[in-house]
Amino acid sequence: MNKVKFLIAIFAGKISAFLLQKIFKRGTNTPGAIMLKICPDALARFTMPEKIICVTGTNGKTGTSNLLTHIIRNSGKTVVNNSKGSNMAPGLASTLVTDCTLGGKVLADMAVLEVDERSSQSIYTKFTPNYILCTNLFRDSIKRNGHSGFIFDKINDYLDKKTTLILNGNDGISGLLGEDVCERVFFSVNKTEKSTDKCTDTVCDLIACPKCNHLLDYDFYHYNHIGVPICKHCGFKMPESSFFASDVNFKEGTFIFNDKTGETLTLPFQKGNFFNVFNITGACAVCRLLGIDMKTIEESIVDLSSKIGRFQEDENSGVKVVSMLSKNQNPISCSQSLKYLDSTSEEKDVVLLITDSNDKFHGHEDISWLYDTDFGPLINDSIKTIYIGGSRCFDVATCLEIKGVDKDKFIVFENYDELASEVSRKSVTGRSIIVFFELYATRVVKKIRAAIKEKGDK
Amino acid sequence: MSKVIIEVLYPEYNNLFGDRGNCEYLKIKLEKANIEVEVINTNLYDEPHFIKSHVDVLLIGPCQEKHQKIELEKLKTYKVAIKNRIDNGGIILATGNAFELFGEYIETPAGEKIEGLGFYPYYAKQFSKLRYNDCSVGEFEDIKIVGFKNLLSHSYGKNDKPFLTMLKGAGMNRGCKVEGIHDNNFFATYHTGPILPLNPQFTDKLIKLIDPKYESVILEFESRAYEKRLEELLK
């Protein structure tokens, strides 16, 4: 009976996917949601590809899973990947149903699936991944994720001993996943010229030893709690890494990937985005475990690095507009984006669209995360005006004033249209505009660009 | 007033949900009023400063559920000193699940009962899965307090000295209209995160307990942030 339900679900999923594609020209989660309605355990009933690789973690899972997919495809294998759907059960079902036979056999050599940390139970209990790569665990959106320990348990409770974990050897939180249960392989990044002896960020999610609760020492920090934690009291330290990045060159945007066999590769990363080194190293580690040769890895990464960008930059009548996306309500991601300001010395205006621009729809935003964010880069003489937009603009302004940012530079707007026209009206030739925005504010960034272009055209 | 001493208890754990905002806000308000501030961070294996020396404000923020047990093991050794501080009018602000430390016990999903400080007769029960999330409004005397909650537990039982009467959102639990503790100058609330910067009037009241001569310092946008939140939440 359940088999019949599954076949009906596949049929319904395929038809809805086809229609949605025809009418709306895009993929959605709807086919998967329909499938799961008809057959709740549909994810357990697909005949899955020979190798299943899941990518999870707080930051960097999309970038890492896209990169992994790209390299594996270049190696000549076919891959199903949920980059167009969501990273929760319905998104995975949508991905699988569009690439399977009517009998439910997924038509690919491998599956690379980005998995939301909180969806671990609804996914790992349905099929057992051969590999799970966890990029890192941090505090994240408070409403959805609570704290890092809560998310750790959500993943750790559903790991199967048949899964091999690929873990960040610089992360003393996610690095403890699957201890004594799974086979675990570690990757890490060696000390760089930017490593510090003390944590210089507002937030450090691992201050006390996870084993004995005494304060941890760190050999060095890369950022936040990512580094080399060591407990002098009980001897806790991270396991040795089989894969690691060395010789990170921030000026050139290159580093050396080291394989446990001693083979090395010089690889590019996006300048100014140090996260990227971890993502690439993690993806390379998985590729090596899959037996992909170094040359294919190198060619794929060089090829891809020219196409992806965390920020967008363009210029109209002498006004340069740079926009940088940061993950919604995620203090780590927002802090990392803001660090971009440290690397620029030219005169600039800054626009902050960092609080939920859709909060009428999502519900009143819990802005507590602002206090976990590093706004230090905004204390800078080269910044002339700080525009703050959205329904929570007064909260952002208050938090910035508490954190020591000069309030005389603030211009606040609850209304995004008014903000966009004011930014354009006051724009000055030769002065850049740097916009930090969350995903839903993409439209506001477009508006600012359009207004400046229009002003230039007049 | 020459110098105000703020002690933050176990910041290695009690730092969730932007709680550091409370200390930062107190510090900037006092400093703008030309009052010097010293912040003492006390870790789990240190003896708290307030046991032997003068501390104006003691802050205890929310921690991960599994860390409550570790903290309670330590805090129980200072039980008498904490009780004396409360009875003698010392200022304490406990936020989020730190409220639970002062009750009878905390029951985990596995059924383990972690013994609390036992100053008040309520007890907490942790949930196993979904966290309780809310934006809420409560009333303390004539001040409406706005804020956020992110909890994996609720509490039950008797509470004769509640801090807030809720106008929106759950109290100690969904069926309860009150929450927190107000006992002399001890304030405990289930609100997580930066409750002080969100509530300038309450903060003023708190600072006046430290220094009756304190003249209010107002940050430019704080009142508008407060008014807007209050209006939206009570709509």
Side-chain angles (χ1 to χ4, degrees):
Chain A
M1 186 56 206
N2 282 335
K3 177 77 183 165
V4 177
K5 264 192 191 167
F6 178 60
L7 294 174
I8 296 169
I10 288 190
F11 194 64
K14 277 192 175 294
I15 288 183
S16 59
F18 175 78
L19 289 176
L20 286 163
Q21 192 62 40
K22 277 278 173 222
I23 302 165
F24 300 107
K25 309 270 182 230
R26 63 187 170 96
T28 69
N29 289 324
T30 318
I34 292 173
M35 277 197 84
L36 295 178
K37 199 100 198 163
I38 300 171
C39 177
D41 68 344
L43 282 176
R45 295 183 168 271
F46 282 103
T47 309
M48 292 296 278
E50 201 181 319
K51 286 269 185 293
I52 307 168
I53 303 138
C54 291
V55 181
T56 195
T58 308
N59 296 311
K61 35 182 190 295
T62 308
T64 306
S65 82
N66 289 348
L67 181 61
L68 202 47
T69 304
H70 178 74
I71 303 172
I72 299 173
R73 282 187 181 145
N74 272 3
S75 78
K77 304 275 189 200
T78 51
V79 180
V80 284
N81 169 246
N82 58 335
S83 64
K84 291 196 176 74
S86 83
N87 55 12
M88 293 179 268
L92 263 60
S94 289
T95 301
L96 297 173
V97 78
T98 44
D99 271 318
C100 76
T101 64
L102 285 172
K105 180 173 168 30
V106 179
L107 298 166
D109 300 323
M110 297 192 194
V112 174
L113 302 167
E114 177 189 331
V115 173
D116 176 73
E117 306 88 278
R118 291 165 307 138
S119 298
S120 304
Q121 181 181 14
S122 62
I123 292 169
Y124 305 145
T125 54
K126 301 296 188 292
F127 56 79
T128 306
N130 302 81
Y131 298 100
I132 296 176
L133 164 62
C134 183
T135 55
N136 49 51
L137 286 176
F138 282 96
R139 63 184 63 195
D140 195 349
S141 152
I142 294 171
K143 266 191 196 171
R144 282 180 290 127
N145 295 48
H147 52 73
S148 61
F150 180 67
I151 296 300
F152 178 93
D153 291 344
K154 286 233 172 288
I155 302 173
N156 206 42
D157 290 352
Y158 303 102
L159 294 173
D160 189 290
K161 63 176 190 294
K162 289 196 282 294
T163 298
T164 298
L165 300 178
I166 295 93
L167 302 173
N168 184 340
N170 288 129
D171 179 0
I173 299 176
S174 68
L176 267 57
L177 284 167
E179 231 182 354
D180 305 325
V181 175
C182 299
E183 190 184 328
R184 306 177 332 138
V185 177
F186 288 85
F187 67 93
S188 59
V189 178
N190 282 4
K191 194 170 182 172
T192 75
E193 64 187 52
K194 293 198 177 174
S195 301
T196 52
D197 295 341
K198 291 215 166 80
C199 183
T200 54
D201 299 299
T202 299
V203 162
C204 180
D205 281 312
L206 188 69
I207 301 171
C209 176
K211 302 293 179 192
C212 76
N213 308 315
H214 282 80
L215 290 188
L216 277 173
D217 278 300
Y218 277 75
D219 255 0
F220 64 85
Y221 293 87
H222 283 304
Y223 59 89
N224 300 86
H225 71 277
I226 303 298
V228 178
I230 288 170
C231 180
K232 284 197 179 135
H233 189 261
C234 75
F236 163 78
K237 61 176 185 183
M238 299 298 291
E240 203 177 322
S241 292
S242 310
F243 304 92
F244 60 96
S246 65
D247 304 82
V248 178
N249 185 327
F250 291 94
K251 227 186 220 150
E252 303 291 328
T254 59
F255 70 95
I256 295 174
F257 170 73
N258 302 262
D259 188 290
K260 59 184 168 186
T261 60
E263 282 189 84
T264 61
L265 279 180
T266 302
L267 296 172
F269 71 97
Q270 291 163 258
K271 276 185 218 173
N273 184 2
F274 183 49
F275 278 157
N276 205 227
V277 177
F278 286 87
N279 298 347
I280 297 173
T281 307
C284 288
V286 177
C287 290
R288 290 303 284 162
L289 294 174
L290 291 170
I292 298 173
D293 63 276
M294 291 292 246
K295 192 161 183 294
T296 304
I297 295 176
E298 181 179 20
E299 284 168 3
S300 312
I301 292 174
V302 171
D303 172 45
L304 195 68
S305 69
S306 56
K307 292 173 194 157
I308 45 172
R310 191 181 152 97
F311 60 84
Q312 218 188 323
E313 181 179 321
D314 52 24
E315 192 165 328
N316 267 298
S317 13
V319 180
K320 185 169 89 176
V321 180
V322 179
S323 56
M324 293 209 66
L325 177 71
S326 63
K327 242 177 106 180
N328 302 29
Q329 297 167 46
N330 178 316
I332 310 296
S333 176
C334 189
S335 303
Q336 282 288 330
S337 297
L338 289 167
K339 276 187 186 167
Y340 169 76
L341 291 169
D342 292 336
S343 67
T344 66
S345 52
E346 82 261 20
E347 250 188 33
K348 54 196 160 277
D349 294 334
V350 169
V351 184
L352 298 177
L353 308 170
I354 52 175
T355 50
D356 189 357
S357 58
N358 236 355
D359 101 331
K360 277 211 174 78
F361 178 69
H362 292 144
H364 193 102
E365 179 181 355
D366 180 340
I367 55 84
S368 306
W369 68 274
L370 292 172
Y371 288 87
D372 285 338
T373 305
D374 296 307
F375 289 109
L378 291 172
I379 306 172
N380 184 330
D381 289 340
S382 68
I383 298 171
K384 299 301 161 193
T385 314
I386 299 173
Y387 295 93
I388 305 168
S391 5
R392 303 277 80 83
C393 59
F394 306 121
D395 288 304
V396 177
T398 303
C399 180
L400 292 186
E401 191 180 347
I402 293 172
K403 302 260 184 184
V405 185
D406 180 3
K407 71 172 177 3
D408 295 336
K409 293 181 182 175
F410 300 171
I411 302 185
V412 298
F413 283 100
E414 290 178 74
N415 182 300
Y416 288 114
D417 292 339
E418 288 172 21
L419 176 135
S421 37
E422 183 75 356
V423 170
S424 143
R425 196 177 68 76
K426 287 207 172 145
S427 65
V428 179
T429 308
R431 191 195 288 178
S432 328
I433 295 171
I434 302 175
V435 188
F436 297 92
F437 69 107
E438 52 88 29
L439 194 59
Y440 299 104
T442 310
R443 61 193 162 87
V444 190
V445 184
K446 279 187 187 153
K447 228 168 237 170
I448 294 172
R449 283 208 158 88
I452 287 170
K453 188 169 187 309
E454 199 180 315
K455 184 183 171 190
D457 291 346
K458 269 181 193 163
Chain B
M1 190 140 190
S2 60
K3 185 160 100 174
V4 166
I5 296 172
I6 303 175
E7 178 167 22
V8 182
L9 215 51
Y10 311 150
E12 69 271 44
Y13 293 126
N14 300 338
N15 62 28
L16 299 179
F17 317 126
D19 200 77
R20 76 195 70 238
N22 293 325
C23 184
E24 287 174 352
Y25 184 64
L26 278 179
K27 189 163 182 282
I28 197 166
K29 285 239 151 177
L30 288 160
E31 284 174 348
K32 278 182 189 275
N34 293 318
I35 299 168
E36 198 190 331
V37 178
E38 184 186 345
V39 177
I40 297 171
N41 287 309
T42 300
N43 299 121
L44 191 69
Y45 289 94
D46 303 336
E47 184 184 77
H49 199 72
F50 76 87
I51 306 280
K52 290 194 183 123
S53 312
H54 175 75
V55 163
D56 293 283
V57 190
L58 181 66
L59 297 176
I60 314 174
C63 67
Q64 296 189 13
E65 294 71 28
K66 66 177 173 202
H67 294 145
Q68 285 179 302
K69 187 178 176 178
I70 305 170
E71 293 192 7
L72 274 168
E73 274 165 22
K74 276 284 161 194
L75 288 175
K76 268 185 280 183
T77 58
Y78 311 120
K79 202 166 162 172
V80 178
I82 301 170
K83 186 80 176 68
N84 283 344
R85 185 174 172 87
I86 295 173
D87 292 342
N88 297 334
I91 302 170
I92 305 177
L93 177 68
T95 50
N97 60 7
F99 161 63
E100 296 170 354
L101 306 177
F102 300 86
E104 291 288 338
Y105 62 86
I106 301 167
E107 190 179 326
T108 70
E112 187 193 355
K113 284 183 181 173
I114 300 161
E115 194 190 325
L117 291 170
F119 299 161
Y120 306 97
Y122 57 85
Y123 60 94
K125 262 183 133 160
Q126 292 175 352
F127 325 135
S128 55
K129 277 190 178 157
L130 285 179
R131 302 185 73 84
Y132 171 79
N133 265 303
D134 209 358
C135 303
S136 49
V137 183
E139 212 163 18
F140 165 63
E141 297 173 351
D142 58 341
I143 301 175
K144 290 188 176 66
I145 307 256
V146 295
F148 306 110
K149 288 182 182 175
N150 185 293
L151 300 161
L152 196 67
S153 51
H154 269 145
S155 42
Y156 305 86
K158 219 169 127 195
N159 186 350
D160 296 330
K161 295 178 175 169
F163 171 39
L164 298 175
T165 305
M166 301 312 290
L167 302 176
K168 181 187 183 293
M172 300 207 318
N173 57 65
R174 283 176 198 273
C176 175
K177 278 283 138 206
V178 298
E179 68 111 293
I181 290 287
H182 175 217
D183 185 2
N184 284 329
N185 292 328
F186 169 43
F187 299 90
T189 171
Y190 253 155
H191 280 98
T192 42
I195 182 172
L196 297 182
L198 296 178
N199 295 283
Q201 294 165 17
F202 174 68
T203 307
D204 262 12
K205 197 158 196 142
L206 196 71
I207 298 178
K208 280 181 183 146
L209 293 174
I210 307 169
D211 181 359
K213 290 201 291 284
Y214 166 77
E215 281 180 43
S216 295
V217 170
I218 293 165
L219 304 189
E220 186 154 345
F221 298 96
E222 63 181 22
S223 307
R224 281 156 88 189
Y226 170 79
E227 296 295 342
K228 188 166 156 64
R229 172 161 295 111
L230 184 64
E231 189 195 314
E232 281 182 27
L233 294 184
L234 286 182
K235 209 175 344 187

